[in-house]
Coordinates of all heavy atoms in Angstrom, one line a residue:
M10 N 103.5 107.2 120.6 CA 103.8 107.8 119.4 C 102.6 108.6 118.9 O 101.5 108.4 119.3 CB 104.0 106.6 118.3 CG 104.2 107.0 116.9 SD 105.5 108.2 116.4 CE 107.0 107.5 117.2
N11 N 102.9 109.6 118.2 CA 101.9 110.6 117.8 C 100.8 109.9 117.0 O 101.0 109.2 116.0 CB 102.6 111.6 116.9 CG 101.7 112.8 116.5 OD1 100.5 112.7 116.5 ND2 102.4 113.9 116.2
S12 N 99.5 110.1 117.4 CA 98.4 109.5 116.7 C 98.2 109.9 115.3 O 97.7 109.2 114.5 CB 97.1 109.7 117.6 OG 96.8 111.1 117.7
S13 N 98.6 111.2 115.0 CA 98.5 111.6 113.6 C 99.4 110.9 112.7 O 99.1 110.6 111.5 CB 98.8 113.1 113.5 OG 100.1 113.5 113.7
V14 N 100.6 110.4 113.2 CA 101.5 109.6 112.3 C 100.8 108.3 112.1 O 100.8 107.8 110.9 CB 102.9 109.4 113.1 CG1 103.7 108.4 112.3 CG2 103.6 110.7 113.2
I15 N 100.2 107.6 113.0 CA 99.5 106.3 112.8 C 98.4 106.5 111.9 O 98.1 105.7 111.0 CB 99.1 105.7 114.2 CG1 100.4 105.3 115.0 CG2 98.2 104.5 114.0 CD1 100.1 104.9 116.4
A16 N 97.6 107.6 112.0 CA 96.5 107.9 111.1 C 97.0 108.0 109.7 O 96.3 107.5 108.8 CB 95.8 109.2 111.6
V17 N 98.1 108.7 109.5 CA 98.7 108.8 108.1 C 99.1 107.4 107.6 O 98.8 107.0 106.5 CB 99.8 109.8 108.0 CG1 100.5 109.8 106.7 CG2 99.2 111.2 108.2
L18 N 99.8 106.7 108.4 CA 100.3 105.3 108.0 C 99.2 104.4 107.7 O 99.3 103.6 106.8 CB 101.2 104.7 109.2 CG 102.5 105.4 109.4 CD1 103.2 104.8 110.6 CD2 103.4 105.4 108.2
R19 N 98.0 104.6 108.4 CA 96.9 103.7 108.1 C 96.4 103.9 106.7 O 95.8 103.0 106.1 CB 95.8 104.1 109.1 CG 94.6 103.2 109.2 CD 93.6 103.5 110.2 NE 94.1 103.4 111.6 CZ 94.2 104.4 112.5 NH1 93.7 105.6 112.2 NH2 94.7 104.2 113.7
R20 N 96.6 105.1 106.1 CA 96.2 105.4 104.7 C 97.1 104.9 103.7 O 96.8 104.9 102.5 CB 95.9 106.9 104.6 CG 94.8 107.4 105.5 CD 94.6 108.9 105.4 NE 94.4 109.2 104.0 CZ 94.5 110.5 103.6 NH1 94.8 111.5 104.4 NH2 94.2 110.8 102.3
V21 N 98.3 104.5 104.0 CA 99.4 104.1 103.1 C 99.1 102.7 102.6 O 99.0 101.8 103.4 CB 100.8 104.2 103.7 CG1 101.9 103.8 102.8 CG2 101.0 105.6 104.3
D29 N 96.6 98.7 114.5 CA 97.2 99.8 115.1 C 98.5 99.5 115.9 O 99.4 100.3 115.9 CB 96.3 100.5 116.1 CG 95.2 101.4 115.3 OD1 95.3 101.5 114.0 OD2 94.3 101.9 115.9
L32 N 101.1 99.1 113.2 CA 101.4 100.5 112.7 C 102.2 101.3 113.7 O 103.1 102.1 113.3 CB 100.1 101.2 112.3 CG 99.3 100.7 111.1 CD1 98.0 101.4 111.0 CD2 100.2 100.8 109.8
S33 N 102.0 101.1 115.0 CA 102.8 101.9 116.0 C 104.2 101.4 115.9 O 105.1 102.2 116.2 CB 102.2 101.7 117.4 OG 102.4 100.4 117.8
A36 N 105.5 103.3 113.1 CA 105.6 104.7 113.5 C 106.9 105.0 114.2 O 107.4 106.1 114.2 CB 104.4 105.1 114.2
V62 N 106.8 108.9 103.2 CA 105.4 109.0 103.2 C 105.0 110.5 103.4 O 105.6 111.1 104.2 CB 104.8 108.2 104.4 CG1 103.3 108.4 104.5 CG2 105.1 106.7 104.3
V63 N 104.1 111.0 102.6 CA 103.7 112.3 102.7 C 102.7 112.4 103.9 O 101.7 111.8 103.9 CB 103.0 112.8 101.4 CG1 102.5 114.3 101.6 CG2 103.9 112.7 100.2
H64 N 103.1 113.2 104.9 CA 102.2 113.4 106.1 C 101.2 114.5 105.7 O 100.0 114.4 106.0 CB 103.1 113.8 107.3 CG 102.3 113.9 108.6 ND1 101.5 115.0 108.8 CD2 102.1 113.0 109.6 CE1 101.0 114.8 110.0 NE2 101.3 113.6 110.5
E91 N 99.0 113.4 100.7 CA 99.0 112.8 102.1 C 98.6 111.3 102.1 O 97.6 110.9 101.5 CB 98.0 113.6 102.9 CG 97.8 113.1 104.4 CD 96.8 113.9 105.2 OE1 96.6 115.0 104.9 OE2 96.3 113.3 106.1
G92 N 99.4 110.5 102.8 CA 99.1 109.1 102.9 C 99.7 108.3 101.8 O 99.5 107.1 101.8
L120 N 107.2 111.7 106.4 CA 107.7 110.7 107.3 C 108.7 109.9 106.6 O 108.5 109.4 105.5 CB 106.5 109.8 107.7 CG 105.3 110.5 108.4 CD1 104.2 109.4 108.6 CD2 105.7 111.2 109.6

Side-chain angles (χ1 to χ4, degrees):
M10 177 53 55
N11 188 334
S12 61
S13 71
V14 171
I15 293 173
V17 170
L18 293 176
R19 193 177 293 121
R20 296 179 55 198
V21 178
D29 283 355
L32 289 172
S33 70
V62 174
V63 179
H64 186 282
E91 181 180 332
L120 303 176

